[in-house]
Structure formats: structure tokens, C-alpha cells
Amino acid sequence: MSHPSLAERLEAIDQRIADAARANRRDPGEITRIVVTKYHPASLVRELWALGVRDVGENRQQELHAKRADLADLADLRWHFVGQAQTNKARAIRHDAAAVHSVDRTRLADALDRAAEPGEGALDVLLQVNLTSDRARGGVAPSEAASLAEHIAGCRGLRLRGVMAVAPLDEAPASAFARLAGVAEAVRGVEPNARWISAGMTADFAEAIAAGATHLRIGSAITGNRPPRA
């Protein structure tokens, strides 16, 4: 039995996204599917681009930089940084990413803001929300999201686009994403144009769509299993 090709996996996921959107009376065209290519080679991203993919996600700054350099001829690729960001990597991340989904503290926002080059446009950023009770996890506590949103809104080099979160393992995704939707509403009270909700991965994107997600981060269901790390 042959395994589905990259094109077949992509088509299958896009069909499931469209079905989930329509089931919730949403337009599939308003949902951005980001293919997360962590640990996969740049050649896979080139294959995805040939299939029409324009939004790609990376978790690590070094990998993002290397792939972007390898694929510099694909000028219309939009690179999304979706991993935990270190402040000392802020300049490099800003240089390579069109959007950063994981801003969860004022120090990181300030570092990304300071890294702006003269005349450079504002960087799209999302406020990462921690939906677990573990404060050591990435993300700001829901109760502190509005305060961080106010800080980001005051950074001239950043454009607050919305919120991002990962559903906890010990909670039903629908419940977690409903809480995220409440945080997103609070953030819009600070910045009305911050309408992005980055939520939903392979196992739970249907629940995320039901809760209003605008950006989905899909990895192995499209890319296949990650190759062994060298």
C-alpha cells in the first residue's frame, strides 16, 4: 500500500479545514493554513511552494534563517516564527520572520521593537497565551494579556495582530479554545484590529476553527514524519 504524497496530504488537510469552516458557517478563505516544517529540509518547503503554499512556520531561529537563505528566490513566502523566542535572538528573528506568534513578555516585545531598522515597517506579532496552570510554560497568563497587549501597542516597531495558544493536553480543546477566544476579545479591547487567533494543530484544528481561529499551525499531517536529527 503506497503512502499519500505530499500533494495528497496537503489536499486532504485543506479539505478538512474547508469542511470544518463550513460546518461553523465560516468562509474557508478567511483561514490561513501555516505549514510547520520544523526539522524538514528546505527542499520540502520548495515542494510545498510549488503546490501553492505561501505561509510556512518554524520553531527555531537558526533553522528559520538557514531555510530562508536557501529559499531567497521564493520572494512571496511568508515565514511565521511559532516557537519560543529568546531576547538575544530578537534581531535575527525580526530579520527573517514576517510574523512572530510567540510574544509573551515585555522584554521580548522591547527587544523585537529595538531591532527595527530605520525605515522598516512594523513587524506583525501575536501575544502568546498560556492556557495551562504551569507558569513555566511559554505564554502570558490570561489575566495579564490585556496589560501585555497595551505594552505591545505602545511599541512603534510592532503591529499587534492578535493572540496565539496551544491547547493543554489535560483539557478538551474546545474548552481551551473557548477561553482563548475570551482572551482575544480582551486584547481587541486594547487594539481593535488585533483579530488574528493562531490556534489549532493537526489533532485539534476543527475545534480551533469552531472557536474562531484564523491561523492554523499544521505540521506532520502535511509534511510527514520528521526526519531523524543529525
Side-chain angles (χ1 to χ4, degrees), residues 60-94:
R60 300 164 65 243
Q61 180 270 321
Q62 297 95 325
E63 194 170 353
L64 167 63
H65 181 75
K67 288 179 185 173
R68 186 173 181 270
D70 285 348
L71 302 167
D73 57 307
L74 306 182
D76 57 349
L77 264 182
R78 289 180 292 271
W79 295 94
H80 298 255
F81 186 81
V82 299
Q84 293 306 118
Q86 299 171 277
T87 54
N88 64 348
K89 301 287 181 65
R91 186 173 299 279
I93 291 170
R94 180 174 186 125

Side-chain angles (χ1 to χ4, degrees), residues 25-213:
R25 299 182 179 179
R26 295 185 59 192
D27 177 3
E30 70 183 22
I31 297 171
T32 299
R33 176 254 298 124
I34 300 167
V35 183
V36 180
T37 56
K38 180 179 179 180
Y39 300 142
H40 288 279
S43 58
L44 182 79
V45 181
R46 191 174 292 278
E47 290 181 57
L48 288 164
W49 180 87
L51 293 169
V53 170
R54 293 297 179 267
D55 291 275
V56 176
E58 287 293 336
N59 294 64
R60 300 164 65 243
Q61 180 270 321
Q62 297 95 325
E63 194 170 353
L64 167 63
H65 181 75
K67 288 179 185 173
R68 186 173 181 270
D70 285 348
L71 302 167
D73 57 307
L74 306 182
D76 57 349
L77 264 182
R78 289 180 292 271
W79 295 94
H80 298 255
F81 186 81
V82 299
Q84 293 306 118
Q86 299 171 277
T87 54
N88 64 348
K89 301 287 181 65
R91 186 173 299 279
I93 291 170
R94 180 174 186 125
H95 177 267
D96 289 322
V100 177
H101 290 231
S102 48
V103 178
D104 61 357
R105 56 200 187 279
T106 58
R107 285 184 62 238
L108 177 58
D110 290 343
L112 289 167
D113 188 32
R114 286 194 302 269
E117 299 290 344
E120 183 181 9
L123 173 69
D124 288 341
V125 300
L126 291 93
L127 187 157
Q128 183 177 354
V129 181
N130 182 359
L131 296 176
T132 77
S133 58
D134 182 359
R135 296 300 295 267
R137 295 286 296 272
V140 65
S143 61
E144 299 168 8
S147 176
L148 179 56
E150 289 175 1
H151 184 90
I152 295 171
C155 295
R156 294 181 63 184
L158 305 180
R159 181 188 298 107
L160 180 58
R161 284 294 200 177
V163 298
M164 182 272 262
V166 177
L169 295 175
D170 59 352
E171 181 181 358
S175 169
F177 293 143
R179 291 193 291 120
L180 180 63
V183 177
E185 186 175 359
V187 168
R188 287 195 298 274
V190 175
E191 174 47 74
N193 292 322
R195 298 190 172 278
W196 293 10
I197 299 178
S198 173
M201 298 186 290
T202 297
D204 56 23
F205 67 76
E207 291 91 339
I209 289 170

